[in-house]
C-alpha cells in the first residue's frame, strides 16, 4: 500500500468524528504527566478501532485537515549514550528532542523523563525553528534545570543532533476522560548518511492516559493488538545502526520493516 492510499484511508476513518479544536486539545488533554502505551496497528485494524471510538472521542481538524507534518530532531552522544540508557532500562533516563510542526512553522524543545512509577514526565519550551538541529545556550539551561530538579544530575555534555524523524500525525481526544491518541503514519528515520522508511500499511498509535488503561486500550486488546515496549527514538537508532545491540526489541523491530 502506498503512503497516498494510507493517507486517504486515515482521512476517511477520521471524517465521521466530532471535531475538536487545537485550544480544546491543549486545555483538555495536555497530560504532561502521563502513562504512554504504544501500538503498531495494521491499517485495517486501525479503521475498526476508529469505528468503535466515534461515540466517545473527537478528532483534531485544522483548516480542513486532520493529518499534520511533524519533524523531530533527537540529541544524543556520538556513542549513543542516551540510547544505551534506555536499552539498559536505567531508572534515571531521558530523551531530548526538538519538535517542529511543519505546517504551522512552530517548534518546541522537549525533554521526556521517567518518573518513580514509570510515568512519563514531559517538559517543553518554545524554540526557534531555525535552531531545531542544534542546542542553544538557552536549551542547555533548560536541560540543566530539569535534570537537576528531577534527578539531581547534570546533563551529558557531549550531546549533539543524532537523527531526525518525520511523519504525519492525527490526534483523537476524549474530552472528558483525560485520554488522547496520537496516530502516526508515513514514518521516516534519517541520519546524515542514510534513512529508513517504515512500511506504509501500519499506524503507530500512542495512547496517553493519566493512569490506567483507557477505552482505546481496551478496544485494541479486543482487536488482538498488544502494546509494544519501545520508543520511536530507540527504533530509529536500531534501524539506522544495525550493528548496535537492540536485543530487547528484536521482535518489535521486525514490525517496522
Amino acid at each position: 500500500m502506498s503512503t497516498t492510499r494510507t493517507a486517504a484511508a486515515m482521512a476517511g476513518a477520521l471524517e465521521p468524528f466530532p471535531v475538536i479544536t487545537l485550544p480544546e486539545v491543549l486545555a483538555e488533554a495536555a497530560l504532561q504527566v502521563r502513562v504512554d502505551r504504544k501500538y503498531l496497528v495494521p491499517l485495517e485494524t486501525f479503521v475498526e478501532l476508529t469505528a468503535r471510538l466515534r461515540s466517545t472521542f473527537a478528532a483534531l481538524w485544522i483548516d480542513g485537515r486532520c493529518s499534520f507534518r511533524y519533524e523531530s530532531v533527537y540529541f544524543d552522544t556520538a556513542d549513543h549514550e542516551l540510547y544505551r540508557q534506555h536499552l539498559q532500562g536505567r531508572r534515571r533516563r531521558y530523551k531530548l528532542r526538538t519538535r517542529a510542526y511543519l505546517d504551522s512553522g512552530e517548534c518546541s524543545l522537549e525533554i521526556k523523563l521517567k518518573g518513580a512509577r514509570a510515568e512519563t514526565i514531559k517538559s517543553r519550551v518554545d524554540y526557534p525553528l531555525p535552531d531545531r538541529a542544534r542546542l542553544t545556550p538557552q536549551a542547555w539551561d533548560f536541560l540543566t534545570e530539569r535534570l537537576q530538579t528531577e534527578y539531581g544530575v547534570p546533563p551529558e555534555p557531549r550531546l549533539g543532533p543524532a537523527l531526525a524523524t518525520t511523519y504525519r500525525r492525527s490526534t483523537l481526544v476524549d474530552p472528558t476522560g483525560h485520554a488522547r491518541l496520537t496516530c502516526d503514519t508515513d514514518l521516516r528515520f534519517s541520519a546524515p548518511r542514510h534513512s529508513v522508511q517504515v512500511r506504509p500499511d501500519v499506524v503507530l498509535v500512542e495512547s496517553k492516559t493519566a493512569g490506567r488503561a483507557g477505552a482505546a486500550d481496551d478496544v485494541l486488546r479486543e482487536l488482538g493488538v498488544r502494546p509494544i515496549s519501545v520508543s520511536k527514538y530507540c527504533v530509529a537508532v536500531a534501524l539506522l545502526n544495525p550493528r548496535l545491540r537492540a536485543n530487547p526489541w528484536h521482535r518489535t523491530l521486525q514490525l517496522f520493516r
Side-chain angles (χ1 to χ4, degrees):
M1 179 178 290
S2 68
T3 56
T4 301
R5 290 178 59 192
T6 300
M10 289 282 292
L14 298 181
E15 195 276 333
F17 277 81
V19 173
I20 191 168
T21 65
L22 184 58
E24 290 174 306
V25 171
L26 297 176
E28 298 290 343
L31 293 175
Q32 295 300 87
V33 179
R34 70 199 189 202
V35 176
D36 293 352
R37 298 172 180 88
K38 302 179 181 67
Y39 305 86
L40 203 62
V41 183
L43 183 59
E44 294 79 4
T45 304
F46 177 80
V47 172
E48 176 63 23
L49 168 68
T50 58
R52 298 194 190 187
L53 296 179
R54 288 172 192 164
S55 62
T56 54
F57 278 72
L60 174 65
W61 288 76
I62 300 175
D63 297 331
R65 290 180 295 180
C66 64
S67 176
F68 309 95
R69 295 177 301 141
Y70 281 55
E71 179 190 73
S72 295
V73 177
Y74 288 87
F75 298 86
D76 205 337
T77 65
D79 58 354
H80 306 288
E81 174 62 25
L82 300 192
Y83 169 81
R84 296 178 194 277
Q85 291 177 3
H86 284 76
L87 181 68
Q88 295 162 6
R90 295 186 192 176
R91 186 176 68 84
R92 293 182 175 181
R93 65 185 189 269
Y94 63 95
K95 290 194 292 288
L96 181 67
R97 72 185 179 201
T98 59
R99 169 167 287 174
Y101 305 87
L102 299 179
D103 294 309
S104 67
E106 298 177 359
C107 185
S108 61
L109 175 70
E110 301 179 348
I111 179 172
K112 297 174 72 173
L113 306 97
K114 282 296 179 184
R117 294 182 296 275
E119 74 274 21
T120 300
I121 302 173
K122 182 167 73 172
S123 301
R124 72 172 67 169
V125 292
D126 292 338
Y127 206 69
L129 184 67
D131 291 331
R132 66 187 183 275
R134 73 183 190 96
L135 294 175
T136 65
Q138 292 76 19
W140 283 106
D141 290 344
F142 171 70
L143 177 61
T144 299
E145 187 277 328
R146 297 310 303 144
L147 290 179
Q148 289 288 357
T149 298
E150 297 294 338
Y151 293 161
V153 299
E156 164 59 59
R158 299 173 295 146
L159 293 176
L163 60 86
T165 66
T166 57
Y167 50 95
R168 302 192 70 91
R169 168 164 290 185
S170 300
T171 301
L172 295 173
V173 176
D174 178 354
T176 62
H178 304 291
R180 182 168 77 248
L181 290 183
T182 58
C183 313
D184 297 343
T185 58
D186 195 17
L187 280 86
R188 179 178 292 273
F189 307 136
S190 301
R193 296 180 181 176
H194 66 296
S195 63
V196 175
Q197 177 75 51
V198 174
R199 48 187 289 197
D201 60 339
V202 295
V203 183
L204 180 60
V205 174
E206 296 190 32
S207 167
K208 308 168 194 293
T209 65
R212 68 168 296 277
D217 301 284
D218 294 340
V219 172
L220 284 165
R221 184 173 61 253
E222 293 171 3
L223 294 173
V225 182
R226 296 294 181 265
I228 56 176
S229 180
V230 69
S231 75
K232 194 180 298 177
Y233 174 63
C234 292
V235 166
V237 171
L239 291 177
L240 289 167
N241 302 273
R243 294 185 180 181
L244 283 179
R245 189 168 73 88
N247 298 22
W249 309 315
H250 278 165
R251 292 182 64 183
T252 298
L253 291 174
Q254 296 304 316
L255 301 174
F256 284 83
R257 293 189 171 97

